[in-house]
Amino acid sequence: MVVDPAGLERAIKQAAARSRPAMIYFTADWCVICRQMDREVFADGQVVAALQNADLIKVDVTDNTPETRQLMETYGVVGPPTLIFLSPASQEPASTRLVGKTTVSKVLASLDSAQAAR
């Protein structure tokens, strides 16, 4: 779980060093939709399998600290849940970002796009 810019930068670099796509998941303990997605989307067998080939980086914005505010501002995140998908080269492919409640099929499509992007 990442809570500051340095931690997120490290996690992104680690994914890139392994030539793996990454899914950055901005979440918070108080986010009701995040808990629902944890149960319904991220527990789905297809998503679990797809994430075996990607790095899942959870960014915890539960506490409103200067570090979490900086992370959200840097990545253009209004609030959780927000999913940002990065290619193995750490680039965000167009039209892959998911904001708010989402579905298994949308997560899988964004992961596929991130994996295919170079």
Side-chain angles (χ1 to χ4, degrees), residues 27-91:
T27 184
D29 289 348
W30 45 261
C31 173
V32 175
I33 295 172
C34 298
R35 300 294 71 78
Q36 183 180 7
M37 286 177 33
D38 290 344
R39 287 188 312 272
E40 296 174 7
V41 176
F42 299 121
D44 182 89
Q46 295 176 69
V47 173
V48 170
L51 286 172
Q52 296 301 310
N53 301 313
D55 282 16
L56 171 58
I57 305 167
K58 286 188 174 184
V59 179
D60 184 358
V61 295
T62 298
D63 297 323
N64 186 18
T65 66
E67 292 82 11
T68 59
R69 285 192 303 275
Q70 181 182 353
L71 279 168
M72 291 175 69
E73 183 177 316
T74 299
Y75 286 88
V77 173
V78 176
T82 298
L83 303 173
I84 299 173
F85 298 85
L86 300 179
S87 71
S90 300
Q91 301 299 313

Side-chain angles (χ1 to χ4, degrees), residues 19-22 50 53-54 86-88 93 109-118:
S19 297
R20 289 168 55 98
N53 301 313
L86 300 179
S87 71
S110 288
L111 277 170
D112 285 345
S113 294
Q115 177 65 45
R118 294 288 164 193

